[in-house]
Amino acid sequence: MNITRFSIQRPVGITMIVMLFVVLGLYSFFRIGVELLPALNSPYFSIAVEYPGASVEEVEEMVVKPLEQELVSLSHLKRILAIAKPERATIVLEFDYMANGDIASIDASKAINRVRKKLPEDVEEPVISRRDANAVPVMEIAVKAKYPLSDIYGKADHIFKERLQRAGGVSDVAVGGGRDREIAVLVDRDKLALYNLSLNQIAERIKGDNLLLPAGSVYSETQESDVRLAARYQSAEEIKRVYLANTGGGAVPLTEIAEVSGQDSRATRYGRVNGDDAITLQVYKNSDANIVNTVKQVQHELAALQDEYPEYQFIVVTNDANYIDNALHNTLIALFEGIMTTGLVLFLFLRGWRSTVAVMIAIPTSLISTFLVMYAAGFTFNMMSLMGMALCIGILVDDAIVVLENIHRHLQLGKPPAVAAEEGRNEIGTAAIAITLCDVVVFLPIAFMTDMTGQYFRQFGLTIVFATLFSLFISFTLTPMLAARLFSTGAAPVSGRIWTFMDSLEKTAVDKYEKLLRRSLAHGRQVIAGVLILLVSTVALIPLGVIGAEYMPRTDESNFRVSVELPVGQNLEMTDAVISQLEQYILTIPEVTYCLSNVGGSSSNWGRMTVQLVGKRERDRSIWEITDDVRNFARRQLAHASVRVYETESSVAGISTGGAEIHSPVLIYLLGSDMDDLVRASNQLQATLANIEGTKEIRSNYRVGVPEFKLTVDREKLKFFTTSVQDVKEAFAGAINGKKAGVLPNDSSNNGRDTDIVVRLKGSEYFKPSDLTNIPVKADGKMVFLGDVARIEEGVGPVGITRLNKQRSLIVQANITDRPLNEVLQELDSLLKQEALPEGVTYRFGGQAAEMDSSYGEIIQALVLSLLLVYMLLAVLYESAFTPVIRMLSLPLGLIGSLLFLLFTNNTINVYSLVGFLVMDGLVAKNGTLLLDYTLTLMGRGMSAYEALVEAGKTRLRPICMTTLTMVVGMLPTALALSEGAETRVSMAWVLIGGLLSSTVFTLFVIPIVFLFFDRHPVRTWFQ
């Protein structure tokens, strides 16, 4: 007994079998995770190394190079990017997508441990974090209260930060704004020399008097007691009572030569929200963590903190999970809209509610059953899997329609319902299996894609495969059973004005199609020539640049970031004034809800702003119009500052991530050994980019050096005065930066935190060169001055050194306007080949350009593989080597409509539209399969090829038009969507709609012409 007969004869049994999948699918539905995009294996690791007091060159030579030498041999390492800055090195390790993140982390830790002994003693312990150093926070929170900023900062750094870091998925929480507290020991320089003391002596004495040490245990007959030395400072007043021993053996009170006080340290950063002072908390997630889950955990901790600290105000400025929730909600709406519009079309075509009900039961049944396999495969609800579901509505409808339409035809021949259901299903069985298996093999190659795009689209393709296989099962079982039950009284003719009009329309369409088909078959050469000219003309739109190409479509996520940089050497107050001016303008923009500003921190001439807008539906202007206004204001009013605006685009497959400059659309690495040559090449490249239409915000990471006082020691004088470079270094560095002398533990005035005790010369931050020469230096029991053993010169020192894969590098970047990325890159590449860079300097593209090349190559390979698999499958089903070739003509015929629709809707060729071509290969082939399958069936019954083609065309015209129209209508809500996240889906939907329409029209005429030619001129006779 075949499965269709079993389903018709055992309706309760087959219903329960289907319900089993539905119930398990619903059970799985509530356990499937939610995220914007599928989890990506993106093994990024950042290594931060602090080297107090070191210059940029020292950091590069003593820290970066030894670490690079050890790390470069790690397995699966794709790129190593190192940035040396004063007192700090940052190394970013990027592994390929085949790497296991946990193993890579262990290997990196082992490599650092091996090289640790080779690093200078003053280097602090390297810190490894599992995130890209260029990543942007998933949440930004402002903290306000009616307390001094130092108190709010203390609470945020000591309590709030630690609580948020406990949330699952959080890798780091950065605290910005506010002030640090310190116990300042400000030493009088002249008295230091008078009493023959050094800063190092003072710092060591203060630290040595601040002890808490165990001294063992004492025992009595009945108990054991611990003995400990408790000599820790309880307040700043106790530090004032410290005495110092000078070289003459006298005891000098600390207060005699220094002032001791608890105070806010010098401001090195500012934070504001909507113009009010605030502390900022930036929450970063692990590279492999789920954004939605991470944000939920953080929000749970924030709610708890708000209950515990009601006097503090926690303002969530940005929250990436909001956009994700909205985008997924809108994708689901598009899915349901597609189902409803499909139902309306089916109602008109199938003449009434019975057939419509049968199809409308088949669609959700297949989708719900798919949840079970998605859960078992570890998939999540994300843009990709939901997009796959939205686009496969047409496939699901197709299977049910083909069966129902054929059953309906058998009912009209007067057969009993059960017989009509079984025979109608069996007659179309081979074609249905061919159609479904073609869909399956079309999407299987996506599973073999290994790059970032492959990881994102794997869930998309396999979700369609799962749903399609369930649809095939439903069309063999539930659909025939429902048809037999719903039409138990036969297919009674329907009456009514609408149905009469539909009947007349269909009859007219069939008659006209027959006439056009006979005429096309009679003039085959002319038709084929016309179609070929149209195909070549359409495809030529790509190389001609009429249809642009880019990596990913831009997305409006109601959020943008602004980076402000002043000339090197500008102080924090100057930078803050510029940020404040820009902040005041941004707050006048009506669409802005929050503006969060961070000034300083890592550099005094740098600041960053995060701006949150109202939702996309609540404003008339796009984010690009708003950001262009900000750019224009900055260009007019802040010409002396470098202001760059980034629209946040977290949905672009991890590539364009707002503030992460390393993922700019245009990014070029210049590589070489000579910094002067690199600087010349950078200037040349920026000038070239400025002459290319469509580029904006061109910049380089090279900065003119920061003003510095350079100390050059005289070694002969060092020998004469019996002192050393180490003594000079301690005196010089300690005098300016200050020397840490331990901590004041559990400081009640600092929220119970340990407060640093810092010893430095009074007024040192305002020293001139003449002041520096008078800094005392210890020399064999006596004091000399810095000017006695060294000379001080004013100069310029490097801001930072970037190295890529062990070579010095400069990075040149640019954003693009409305011009497609591929056009800009092609023009740039040709100009660079004409204008030679300085000798020894090479270049390579990075960012979106590199990902675009990789992804395009992978998708084209997948497309070729899918075509090959489809051909092999059809050859097996038809037992013919040439029939599949005829059927596969549907794809080039579909290309005509796809490319024209991309042109008319102003969309580009991007990763999404390329995958759309892959999907189209499976969808458009259905029409050719239906037509050829019935033609071969009729020829098997004795008809000539000509008459079989005409008859098959007339018979299959209705189901072909029905399936095409339902798929087109089902995808229209996706193509026309204007809500959050719609930008990524639109280009794919238009590719499919255009491909289906053009392929349907041309398939009905071109495939019969080609089939008739091969029938009259068999290939085997060509060589006789």
Side-chain angles (χ1 to χ4, degrees):
M1 180 185 292
N2 66 39
I3 191 169
T4 303
R5 189 180 306 158
F6 170 83
S7 303
I8 294 169
Q9 294 178 357
R10 303 284 297 275
V12 174
I14 198 64
T15 302
M16 290 302 106
I17 291 171
V18 172
M19 284 302 295
L20 171 68
F21 291 113
V22 171
V23 170
L24 291 175
L26 288 172
Y27 182 80
S28 303
F29 175 81
F30 295 102
R31 283 159 178 76
I32 295 176
V34 175
E35 56 190 345
L36 179 65
L37 294 163
L40 174 66
N41 177 30
S42 57
Y44 279 96
F45 295 92
S46 296
I47 302 166
V49 188
E50 301 285 347
Y51 186 9
S55 67
V56 173
E57 288 94 342
E58 283 179 302
V59 170
E60 180 192 29
E61 199 64 38
M62 307 297 290
V63 178
V64 170
K65 286 186 177 180
L67 283 170
E68 278 181 339
Q69 192 65 36
E70 196 67 40
L71 291 166
V72 77
S73 60
L74 293 177
S75 178
H76 293 290
L77 184 66
K78 183 178 176 182
R79 186 185 66 163
I80 178 168
L81 179 72
I83 301 167
K85 290 189 174 181
E87 301 188 346
R88 181 181 178 86
T90 303
I91 299 176
V92 179
L93 303 177
E94 180 185 352
F95 293 84
D96 64 36
Y97 299 109
M98 302 302 290
N100 181 302
D102 296 328
I103 294 175
S105 175
I106 294 168
D107 289 346
S109 299
K110 287 180 178 177
I112 291 171
N113 290 335
R114 285 195 297 271
V115 80
R116 181 68 181 91
K117 293 178 182 177
K118 300 177 184 176
L119 301 180
E121 289 182 6
D122 293 346
V123 169
E124 296 180 8
E125 201 63 34
V127 177
I128 304 178
S129 58
R130 192 167 180 174
R131 69 177 176 90
D132 182 359
N134 298 294
V136 294
V138 294
M139 277 185 84
E140 291 186 84
I141 304 156
V143 183
K144 293 169 62 179
K146 295 179 180 178
Y147 298 119
L149 278 177
S150 57
D151 289 352
I152 305 174
Y153 178 81
K155 190 78 75 175
D157 191 50
H158 187 53
I159 298 173
F160 303 158
K161 173 182 176 178
E162 292 180 5
R163 287 281 293 274
L164 295 182
Q165 280 182 322
R166 295 180 202 166
V170 174
S171 70
D172 188 25
V173 177
V175 184
R179 306 281 186 278
D180 290 308
R181 289 281 296 174
E182 67 176 12
I183 304 296
V185 181
L186 304 177
V187 181
D188 188 302
R189 183 185 57 195
D190 297 330
K191 288 183 178 179
L192 196 66
L194 177 67
Y195 287 105
N196 202 17
L197 290 167
S198 69
L199 280 180
N200 200 43
Q201 278 180 286
I202 297 171
E204 289 300 323
R205 184 56 186 264
I206 293 173
K207 187 187 293 185
D209 283 5
N210 189 24
L211 296 174
L212 180 64
L213 291 173
S217 301
V218 295
Y219 302 91
S220 68
E221 292 180 358
T222 57
Q223 67 181 18
E224 175 186 349
S225 301
D226 290 334
V227 180
R228 62 190 177 96
L229 171 63
R232 303 196 76 173
Y233 301 129
Q234 301 298 316
S235 67
E237 291 300 316
E238 287 192 35
I239 300 173
K240 291 180 181 179
R241 294 198 285 270
V242 170
Y243 278 78
L244 306 161
N246 66 0
T247 52
V252 182
L254 179 61
T255 51
E256 178 65 26
I257 59 171
E259 297 174 5
V260 181
S261 62
Q263 62 182 37
D264 288 352
S265 59
R266 181 179 173 83
T268 57
R269 58 187 179 267
Y270 294 113
R272 284 189 297 274
V273 60
N274 289 359
D276 298 328
D277 285 334
I279 306 301
T280 64
L281 298 171
Q282 298 172 336
V283 181
Y284 295 88
K285 76 174 188 71
N286 288 322
S287 58
D288 57 351
N290 181 303
I291 293 179
V292 174
N293 291 342
T294 301
V295 168
K296 281 182 180 176
Q297 298 265 5
V298 173
Q299 287 175 327
H300 178 74
E301 288 291 344
L302 273 180
L305 285 172
Q306 187 68 76
D307 292 338
E308 294 174 33
Y309 301 94
E311 68 275 21
Y312 284 83
Q313 188 179 358
F314 298 91
I315 302 169
V316 178
V317 177
T318 63
N319 175 357
D320 285 358
N322 284 341
Y323 173 76
I324 295 171
D325 288 337
N326 290 337
L328 296 182
H329 175 70
N330 294 326
T331 307
L332 277 173
I333 288 176
L335 176 63
F336 289 121
E337 286 173 347
I339 292 174
M340 298 311 296
T341 51
T342 299
L344 179 62
V345 172
L346 291 175
F347 180 73
L348 294 173
F349 266 107
L350 298 177
R351 307 289 193 275
W353 63 270
R354 289 183 178 86
S355 298
T356 305
V357 165
V359 178
M360 294 304 288
I361 289 174
I363 297 174
T365 302
S366 301
L367 289 177
I368 293 170
S369 301
T370 304
F371 297 152
L372 170 61
V373 190
M374 287 176 64
Y375 178 66
F379 288 6
T380 58
F381 286 129
N382 53 66
M383 292 275 284
M384 296 292 104
S385 57
L386 290 178
M387 194 189 304
M389 287 190 165
L391 295 179
C392 76
I393 291 172
I395 300 173
L396 307 184
V397 171
D398 195 26
D399 289 336
I401 282 180
V402 170
V403 174
L404 276 174
E405 198 276 337
N406 216 40
I407 291 172
H408 205 265
R409 192 168 57 81
H410 280 264
L411 282 169
Q412 289 176 333
L413 296 175
K415 296 179 182 179
V419 175
E422 184 180 348
E423 291 184 0
R425 165 73 263 186
N426 291 339
E427 184 181 71
I428 207 78
T430 304
I433 293 172
I435 289 169
T436 303
L437 291 181
C438 283
D439 288 329
V440 171
V441 299
V442 158
F443 293 108
L444 275 182
I446 293 179
F448 293 100
M449 293 167 64
T450 55
D451 68 345
M452 179 185 285
T453 307
Q455 290 192 63
Y456 278 113
F457 280 96
R458 187 172 292 118
Q459 290 197 23
F460 168 80
L462 293 180
T463 298
I464 294 179
V465 169
F466 300 152
T468 303
L469 291 174
F470 270 114
S471 173
L472 180 66
F473 171 71
I474 296 296
S475 70
F476 267 92
T477 55
L478 193 64
T479 304
M481 184 274 286
L482 287 172
R485 296 288 159 188
L486 291 170
F487 292 102
S488 57
T489 57
V494 292
S495 58
R497 186 178 299 175
I498 295 177
W499 309 129
T500 304
F501 172 75
M502 290 296 294
D503 287 337
S504 171
L505 189 66
E506 285 181 14
K507 188 175 183 306
T508 305
V510 170
D511 291 342
K512 290 199 172 183
Y513 169 66
E514 183 182 0
K515 291 176 184 176
L516 284 171
L517 178 59
R518 291 183 184 277
R519 190 178 299 172
S520 299
L521 291 171
H523 302 87
R525 290 183 180 179
Q526 292 90 325
V527 173
I528 297 295
V531 172
L532 280 174
I533 291 169
L534 184 58
L535 176 62
V536 171
S537 304
T538 310
V539 173
L541 295 174
I542 301 173
L544 290 174
V546 180
I547 298 176
E550 59 187 347
Y551 180 56
M552 293 275 186
R554 299 187 303 173
T555 54
D556 183 341
E557 300 182 17
S558 305
N559 179 288
F560 66 90
R561 289 179 165 85
V562 184
S563 171
V564 177
E565 187 174 6
L566 268 66
V568 173
Q570 295 291 311
N571 62 25
L572 188 68
E573 285 66 31
M574 290 290 292
T575 308
D576 187 48
V578 172
I579 291 281
S580 296
Q581 188 178 350
L582 184 58
E583 192 177 63
Q584 289 170 12
Y585 168 74
I586 286 175
L587 289 172
T588 63
I589 299 172
E591 294 90 347
V592 170
T593 55
Y594 290 115
C595 176
L596 185 72
S597 304
N598 280 290
V599 187
S602 60
S603 176
S604 63
N605 65 322
W606 179 88
R608 187 172 68 84
M609 305 170 74
T610 301
V611 183
Q612 183 66 41
L613 307 177
V614 296
K616 186 177 176 182
R617 291 184 174 182
E618 300 169 42
R619 49 187 159 87
D620 298 325
R621 296 193 297 170
S622 73
I623 192 168
W624 298 285
E625 293 174 294
I626 294 169
T627 52
D628 280 343
D629 285 352
V630 175
R631 290 186 185 98
N632 291 333
F633 172 82
R635 202 175 294 119
R636 292 192 313 269
Q637 304 294 331
L638 307 172
H640 59 291
S642 171
V643 179
R644 297 188 291 275
V645 185
Y646 307 91
E647 298 85 4
T648 303
E649 296 186 55
S650 58
S651 67
V652 183
I655 289 302
S656 183
T657 51
E661 296 187 13
I662 211 71
H663 299 308
S664 296
V666 179
L667 187 146
I668 305 103
Y669 294 106
L670 294 170
L671 304 169
S673 55
D674 187 273
M675 186 57 75
D676 292 335
D677 288 341
L678 285 172
V679 172
R680 284 201 302 275
S682 170
N683 294 333
Q684 178 183 331
L685 183 54
Q686 290 179 77
T688 303
L689 278 168
N691 293 325
I692 295 176
E693 184 186 351
T695 58
K696 63 182 179 184
E697 295 178 341
I698 301 160
R699 69 269 184 197
S700 165
N701 70 332
Y702 174 74
R703 298 291 179 270
V704 177
V706 64
E708 68 174 8
F709 293 127
K710 188 176 180 180
L711 184 73
T712 306
V713 296
D714 186 322
R715 296 190 183 276
E716 291 299 321
K717 289 184 177 179
L718 287 178
K719 181 182 176 183
F720 177 78
F721 287 109
T722 323
T723 188
S724 66
V725 173
Q726 185 64 29
D727 292 331
V728 173
K729 177 189 172 186
E730 286 185 2
F732 186 58
I736 307 300
N737 284 341
K739 197 153 184 77
K740 286 192 179 177
V743 296
L744 180 65
N746 308 314
D747 186 1
S748 59
S749 64
N750 195 14
N751 289 289
R753 302 165 68 218
D754 293 347
T755 302
D756 287 333
I757 303 170
V758 183
V759 181
R760 61 173 172 267
L761 293 182
K762 189 176 181 180
S764 58
E765 60 267 38
Y766 303 112
F767 275 3
K768 301 180 180 66
S770 57
D771 296 313
L772 295 174
T773 58
N774 290 321
I775 292 174
V777 179
K778 198 82 170 172
D780 193 27
K782 58 183 182 298
M783 284 290 176
V784 297
F785 293 103
L786 202 57
D788 296 331
V789 294
R791 67 178 185 276
I792 295 170
E793 302 167 345
E794 290 188 57
V796 175
V799 177
I801 296 172
T802 302
R803 294 169 62 85
L804 179 71
N805 297 336
K806 297 178 66 177
Q807 275 189 289
R808 279 194 173 185
S809 171
L810 288 182
I811 302 173
V812 177
Q813 301 162 86
N815 289 341
I816 55 174
T817 52
D818 294 332
R819 193 178 180 193
L821 174 61
N822 196 48
E823 285 184 29
V824 174
L825 294 175
Q826 285 178 347
E827 185 175 343
L828 174 61
D829 201 32
S830 64
L831 288 174
L832 286 175
K833 287 172 181 173
Q834 295 169 20
E835 305 170 8
L837 294 173
E839 188 177 349
V841 177
T842 59
Y843 73 92
R844 54 177 280 196
F845 288 110
Q848 290 189 35
E851 291 293 341
M852 184 170 74
D853 287 343
S854 168
S855 299
Y856 278 23
E858 288 266 346
I859 293 172
I860 290 168
Q861 287 177 30
L863 185 59
V864 172
L865 181 57
S866 70
L867 289 172
L868 183 61
L869 291 175
V870 167
Y871 170 79
M872 293 165 69
L873 175 66
L874 291 175
V876 171
L877 291 171
Y878 290 123
E879 193 55 37
S880 168
F882 292 99
T883 304
V885 175
I886 301 170
R887 170 254 179 237
M888 291 175 72
L889 289 173
S890 301
L891 181 60
L893 297 176
L895 276 176
I896 297 171
S898 293
L899 293 172
L900 288 176
F901 268 61
L902 282 179
L903 177 65
F904 296 148
T905 58
N906 199 29
N907 280 291
T908 60
I909 290 179
N910 52 61
V911 169
Y912 285 92
S913 52
L914 278 177
V915 172
F917 288 115
L918 193 64
V919 178
M920 184 186 71
D921 179 34
L923 297 185
V924 301
K926 294 173 181 292
N927 300 333
T929 303
L930 283 173
L931 191 62
L932 287 178
D933 182 73
Y934 197 52
T935 300
L936 293 171
T937 301
L938 293 175
M939 288 174 69
R941 294 175 184 172
M943 271 194 184
S944 67
Y946 182 89
E947 291 302 327
L949 281 168
V950 174
E951 185 59 32
K954 289 165 59 181
T955 306
R956 291 289 183 245
L957 178 65
R958 187 167 179 261
I960 285 173
C961 289
M962 282 172 64
T963 53
T964 299
L965 196 57
T966 49
M967 281 193 277
V968 168
V969 170
M971 280 180 285
L972 269 178
T974 299
L976 297 172
L978 299 172
S979 54
E980 284 93 346
E983 298 94 342
T984 52
R985 308 188 298 269
V986 165
S987 60
M988 185 186 290
W990 283 122
V991 163
L992 294 174
I993 290 171
L996 282 166
L997 290 174
S998 70
S999 175
T1000 299
V1001 172
F1002 291 125
T1003 295
L1004 290 169
F1005 299 100
V1006 173
I1007 284 185
I1009 293 170
V1010 177
F1011 183 88
L1012 191 61
F1013 174 82
F1014 276 103
D1015 183 72
R1016 291 174 176 174
H1017 307 90
V1019 176
R1020 63 178 178 273
T1021 64
W1022 293 5
F1023 307 102
Q1024 292 177 0

